Structures are given as structure tokens and as C-alpha cells.
Amino acid sequence: MPLLNATYRKPFFLFNAHLETIYPALFRRIRDVQYERERLELSDGDFVDLDWLDQGSRRLVLLTHGLEGNSDRHYIKGMARHFASQGWDALAWNCRSCSGEMNRNLRLYNHGEIEDIGEVIQHALRTKDYEEIVMIGFSMGGSITFKYLGVNSGKGNVPEVVRKAIGFSTPCDLMASAHLLDDPRNKIYRDRFARMLFAKISAKAEQFPGVVDLSNFEKIKVWKDFDNFFSAPINGYRDADDFYYQASAIHYMEPIEIPCLLVNAINDPILSPECSPEDFAQRKPNFFLETPRHGGHVGFNLINSKTSWAERRAWEFVN
């Protein structure tokens, strides 16, 4: 307790984890969501862009995307639409550099950065009259969500209106997950992340001449090299090991007080077993772990359905 029995059943034609991961990313299109965009100026002089479905509700779902994702990803738009159809407001915020415009500061975003989401929550409460907030994160977004709650719980820093949190496909142990990117079977994911992040690192080199050494790209042999050369120093960590520790939510989740649900598929190609902490869930009465056999990474697709299984599962847990 609380280890939950998984209820997801994959479509028959998605016959391996990679198809389960890639198919909805390529073919699920959500065209009936029209956000209202707002720019939030942050306390350090940078900014993040917020995308709202504002219905004047007093209940809000706060959505955080994954690595190199944004508010337009199918899993974000689908969840926003599903909660909005139930009368909730939805706020899909874009991490620094992810909304289509490069951020101003050297620092980008990462799995362990929680100050920005804290400012987003405070802004929502300052400008709207919410009586309930539910936080939902996908992949990296789940890490940010759970670390934010863990660090701030017990200190009076989590607003009382934040009632529940959910993470899908969350790398709670980032070191173990990072190692999996070097598996030849995961080359498609590693190459995609490398291509997108290389573009951002190159943009930072132009913004801050002499600060970022692009020649280090030639030295990258494994993913940890990328984090040693770029992710760690740009984001203020000592090295990759320091980054992995501080960005792994599992090291911070003990104090969490509100009910939480973590859903990680057993066949997720880029999550290790360490990312689904059974021992932790068994001794934490408010932390629920669900590990369906299938689902891939942020997949959970359903055939002939407007909603994904993740959207239905989140709504079920919230209610």
C-alpha cells in the first residue's frame, strides 16, 4: 500500500514500447485547444510564457511539460482540454526557452529547477481566485512537480490550495535514466534530445560569447559527457553527478504531504526501475504508484478515443 493495480491496455497495433511512445507524438493532433498567452516576468529578470484555458473557474490544473517539450505537446493539450471540459481552468506553462523564444539569461531549465514553477503558482494565486490547484507533470515535468512539493512541504511554502499532484513517465532517479539514453535501442531519443539541445546551447554561445565552449561537443561519447560539459555548468551545478542528484525528485519526496500519483510504465524505454520507487510508495500512505505493463514514455494511447488513458486516469485520481 499504496501500490495500485494498473488498468491501461494498449492498442493492439502498438506492439512495442517505441511505437507506444512515438505513435501519439506523431499522429495525435489536438486542434480544438486555443490558449490565451501571458508572459510572466521572473524575479531574476528572465521570463516564462504561460498558456491559459481560463473559464473563470476556482479550480486549476497546472501542467508541466517534459524535456524539450512545450504547451503544444499532445499530452499537455489533451490534459488541458479534458480538465477544461469538466469546468476547470488549465494553465500550461512553458519552461525557459521552450515557448518559441530564447530566454534572456544563461540558465536554461532542468529537471531540478523549481523556483520558476513556484513563481508560476504564486502568480496564478495573485491574479486569480483559486480554491483548488492540481499539479500534473509529464516526464521532466513530473520531476519538477514532485521536487517542488518535497522541498517546500512542511515549511509552509506550498499553498494550501494545492491539493493533489500527478506525474506520468517521471524519471525520479535521473542518473539511472540518463544512463539508459546510451543504450543503442534508445538512439532515436538520444539523437532527438541532442539535436534540439545543441541548437539551444549554440544560441547561448551567441548570447554569451566566451562563456560556452562549443568545441566540447566533439568530446561527447556518452550522455553524461553532455551533462558534464553543458547541462551542469549552464544551470549552476558542480558537475553531472551533482546535477543528477539535485535533479532526482526521489531525494526530496519524503516530506510531501498531499496525495500524489506516479504512473510509470514498466516498458518505458528511458526509465529504469529506480524511477518507480516501490519501497517509498509502500511506506508513504499518500503516495500512490501505478506501473502498467505498457504505455511507453508519455504514451498511454487509446484507440478511437478523443482522450488518452492518462487523461482519464488523472481525472479519476483527482476525483
Side-chain angles (χ1 to χ4, degrees):
M1 175 73 182
L3 302 179
L4 303 182
N5 292 323
T7 59
Y8 175 65
R9 298 293 181 269
K10 69 180 181 68
F12 69 93
F13 59 89
L14 301 180
F15 52 82
N16 65 41
H18 301 296
L19 278 175
E20 291 185 63
T21 301
I22 296 168
Y23 181 87
L26 290 179
F27 297 110
R28 190 182 185 211
R29 294 289 177 263
I30 298 177
R31 308 183 191 281
D32 55 347
V33 171
Q34 300 297 322
Y35 295 123
E36 299 174 28
R37 175 155 290 190
E38 176 186 14
R39 177 155 293 184
L40 174 61
E41 296 290 335
L42 299 171
S43 57
D44 67 353
D46 217 328
F47 70 90
V48 291
D49 286 328
L50 316 180
D51 287 325
W52 291 88
L53 295 181
D54 186 347
Q55 307 183 108
S57 175
R58 298 196 67 195
R59 297 181 296 175
L60 174 71
V61 59
L62 176 67
L63 304 172
T64 307
H65 61 76
L67 183 69
E68 283 305 285
N70 54 50
S71 61
D72 283 329
R73 289 292 189 263
H74 70 92
Y75 55 85
I76 294 287
K77 276 190 166 180
M79 193 68 74
R81 179 180 64 186
H82 194 55
F83 272 75
S85 73
Q86 306 296 331
W88 287 52
D89 285 1
L91 170 53
W93 73 287
N94 298 273
C95 294
R96 302 186 191 210
S97 80
C98 293
S99 60
E101 182 178 339
M102 184 55 64
N103 65 307
R104 301 175 190 133
N105 293 356
L106 174 65
R107 185 172 74 75
L108 290 165
Y109 66 93
N110 64 85
H111 294 68
E113 202 292 311
I114 59 173
E115 298 301 322
D116 290 357
I117 195 171
E119 293 198 42
V120 170
I121 293 171
Q122 291 302 323
H123 173 74
L125 292 176
R126 189 169 56 248
T127 57
K128 318 274 186 182
D129 185 25
Y130 291 119
E131 62 182 12
E132 180 178 0
I133 295 177
V134 169
M135 303 174 69
I136 303 179
F138 298 85
S139 194
M140 178 194 73
S143 294
I144 292 172
T145 296
F146 290 141
K147 182 180 176 183
Y148 164 81
L149 291 171
V151 169
N152 289 290
S153 294
K155 302 177 181 178
N157 294 334
V158 176
E160 291 185 4
V161 296
V162 177
R163 301 290 173 79
K164 289 186 174 74
I166 305 170
F168 290 98
S169 305
T170 299
C172 295
D173 187 321
L174 188 58
M175 179 178 288
S177 186
H179 287 330
L180 279 179
L181 283 178
D182 293 319
D183 188 316
R185 292 170 293 182
N186 289 329
K187 185 177 186 299
I188 186 173
Y189 312 114
R190 174 183 161 136
D191 288 352
R192 179 178 180 273
F193 289 144
R195 181 177 67 255
M196 299 176 77
L197 290 170
F198 175 78
K200 289 190 175 178
I201 299 299
S202 298
K204 287 301 171 189
E206 292 184 12
Q207 278 182 293
F208 300 92
V211 175
V212 180
D213 184 0
L214 294 181
S215 69
N216 283 325
F217 273 106
E218 305 299 324
K219 305 175 185 176
I220 294 175
K221 304 299 182 185
V222 295
W223 190 260
K224 186 176 181 179
D225 294 335
F226 177 87
D227 289 329
N228 262 321
F229 291 134
F230 300 108
S231 303
I234 284 176
N235 292 300
Y237 299 102
R238 184 179 63 252
D239 52 25
D241 288 334
D242 183 45
F243 168 45
Y244 293 152
Y245 185 90
Q246 294 198 50
S248 293
I250 190 60
H251 298 138
Y252 302 92
M253 297 192 309
E254 185 69 39
I256 295 178
E257 299 166 340
I258 65 172
C260 293
L261 171 67
L262 171 61
V263 181
N264 284 349
I266 292 174
N267 74 339
D268 191 313
I270 58 176
L271 294 189
S272 69
E274 292 89 341
C275 294
S276 301
E278 291 189 6
D279 291 344
F280 179 78
Q282 285 175 327
R283 62 182 174 79
K284 284 283 287 186
N286 63 330
F287 194 91
F288 298 83
L289 174 64
E290 190 164 353
T291 53
R293 290 180 59 195
H294 299 283
H297 190 73
V298 197
F300 305 112
N301 199 60
L302 293 174
I303 191 170
N304 297 324
S305 174
K306 185 176 181 179
T307 58
S308 74
W309 177 83
E311 289 146 29
R312 298 181 184 184
R313 186 67 189 91
W315 180 249
E316 181 182 44
F317 182 75
V318 167
N319 286 276

